[in-house]
Amino acid sequence: MLGRTTVAVLGSAALAAALSGCHQLAGHRANMRGKALYAQGRTAAAAEEFRRAALDDPAEADYRHNLAAATQRLRGPGPAETLYKQTLALDPDHQPTVHKLAELYLNTGRPQLARDLTARWATARPGDPRPHVEVAYVLNRTGDPAGAERALRTALAVDPNHAIALANLADLQARTGRLRQAAQTAAAAKRKDWTVKTSADVRR
């Protein structure tokens, strides 16, 4: 009797794991379809695929972030803000969501919320360069290039090879007239990641 019960429990666990894997695969496929639709400008259809992906795999922050981005394009910042906050509740270290929420705050006239959001993340993760890059982005957007440079140098103290921090620093140096330094920093960024862009169109 015990043997049959154990087999039944193990069988149930295996079935649950298999179903979980199926849902994760379905979520991945829906997300891929959503990204393709989003790139084509078919935002409503993309949002539906991202919604399906988030339902299939609720633990995956990327899917909820993508739904938020599509929702922002469709319905504006209000509904998107709620979804970005839900994503950060799921994964507080989800950098694309921190960036998009900070950008949303800036674009809707709430710079202090953007500063608070990125500063809290940097305080929580001092050994991670990504929060300091986001702090720099917000400070740069709010008219504090010196503070932005300090934040980028903090990121580079943590990781001297961080290509995005290097690229952003090169951009800042160029815009403040330090062209020789900017060229050297941009070259260092390219050595670390040849796809990274400098000047005004820095990839984040």
Side-chain angles (χ1 to χ4, degrees):
M1 184 67 172
L2 180 60
R4 286 198 297 271
T5 303
T6 302
V7 170
V9 169
L10 291 174
S12 297
L15 178 60
L19 289 173
S20 175
C22 287
H23 284 304
Q24 289 174 344
L25 182 58
H28 173 73
R29 288 172 175 166
N31 184 61
M32 294 301 291
R33 288 194 299 269
K35 290 199 292 185
L37 290 164
Y38 192 83
Q40 296 166 15
R42 298 170 61 188
T43 311
E48 186 55 39
E49 292 295 344
F50 294 142
R51 186 174 293 106
R52 185 174 291 115
L55 287 171
D56 282 332
D57 191 355
E60 178 52 71
D62 283 349
Y63 303 163
R64 197 171 296 273
H65 166 272
N66 291 345
L67 175 58
T71 299
Q72 185 170 356
R73 184 181 286 184
L74 282 172
R75 300 173 55 200
E81 181 177 338
T82 299
L83 288 167
Y84 287 133
K85 288 177 177 176
Q86 289 175 3
T87 307
L88 290 180
L90 187 66
D91 181 1
D93 293 324
H94 197 256
Q95 179 271 333
T97 301
V98 173
H99 182 80
K100 290 294 288 184
L101 183 56
E103 183 179 57
L104 186 153
Y105 286 147
L106 292 171
N107 291 343
T108 54
R110 294 174 289 169
Q112 190 58 50
L113 289 179
R115 287 191 287 266
D116 291 345
L117 172 68
T118 53
R120 278 197 307 271
W121 191 28
T123 299
R125 296 294 299 269
D128 186 338
R130 299 173 304 156
H132 302 292
V133 172
E134 294 304 329
V135 168
Y137 165 72
V138 170
L139 292 175
N140 196 38
R141 282 281 307 268
T142 54
D144 185 2
E149 182 165 344
R150 285 194 298 272
L152 289 171
R153 293 195 181 279
T154 299
L156 290 168
V158 173
D159 180 2
N161 298 319
H162 197 281
I164 305 299
L166 287 166
N168 278 275
L169 180 59
D171 181 54
L172 200 156
Q173 289 169 332
R175 286 189 287 107
T176 51
R178 292 169 288 167
L179 300 183
R180 180 175 294 181
Q181 285 178 279
Q184 292 171 345
T185 308
K190 290 287 187 182
R191 285 196 297 272
K192 303 307 174 186
D193 180 355
W194 68 270
T195 67
V196 79
K197 296 179 182 179
T198 57
S199 75
D201 187 27
V202 174
R203 180 175 66 90
R204 290 185 174 84

